[in-house]
Amino acid sequence: MGNLIPILAALLGGIGLAVQPPTNAALGRSIGSVLVAALVSFAIGTAILLAIWLAADRTPLANVRSAKPWMLLGGLYGAYFVAAAAFAAPRLGLASMLTIMIASQLVAALVLDQFGLFGLERAPVSLARVAGVVLVLVGVVLVRRG
């Protein structure tokens, strides 16, 4: 029961990652720019997070000064993901784009876990974990060949 809320959050996040690219791609087609669509997406997300922060959190923004510079790169990764996904989804198909992205996420996750990078606890690569990623990579090939 203790993991139910994080599992539900991850499931809903996964659904969001699946519907975000075609939504942003459609917006990009409508307004004529994938980059403007990504900017609008981030602006709306920023406004929502600001409202939630004002209503429920109020951690002082000055605390950001204590962060190391590499910790501020999350926005860069997110911006790239949103723009790349809006660009790639209509060109590759949503399933192909997502399987490629998920496969690359899992390979990167194995490396990050293995070395405990970015403050993660070390989680050594095991045969079972590698086999799971290999199965996803096989899935990428199968989805692409459709």
Side-chain angles (χ1 to χ4, degrees):
M1 183 73 168
N3 285 333
L4 182 60
I5 291 176
I7 289 171
L8 289 174
L11 287 171
L12 291 174
I15 292 167
L17 283 177
V19 298
Q20 184 183 36
T23 302
N24 287 339
L27 178 62
R29 284 190 304 276
S30 172
I31 61 179
S33 171
V34 169
L35 293 178
V36 174
L39 179 63
V40 169
S41 177
F42 268 85
I44 291 169
T46 299
I48 290 168
L49 288 172
L50 179 62
I52 293 169
W53 173 72
L54 288 171
D57 187 333
R58 296 290 185 107
T59 299
L61 291 178
N63 288 4
V64 173
R65 285 183 274 185
S66 66
K68 294 179 175 107
W70 65 265
M71 295 175 178
L72 303 176
L73 294 176
L76 171 70
Y77 311 141
Y80 181 81
F81 171 82
V82 168
F87 174 78
R91 289 163 177 82
L92 298 175
L94 185 59
S96 288
M97 184 220 62
L98 283 173
T99 55
I100 291 166
M101 286 185 159
I102 291 166
S104 65
Q105 287 173 357
L106 289 173
V107 170
L110 284 178
V111 172
L112 295 172
D113 281 350
Q114 172 67 28
F115 297 105
L117 301 175
F118 299 107
L120 294 171
E121 276 194 43
R122 290 188 70 187
V125 172
S126 67
L127 184 58
R129 295 178 88 205
V130 170
V133 172
V134 167
L135 288 173
V136 172
L137 294 171
V138 169
V140 169
V141 172
L142 292 174
V143 168
R144 288 290 298 150
R145 289 192 179 167

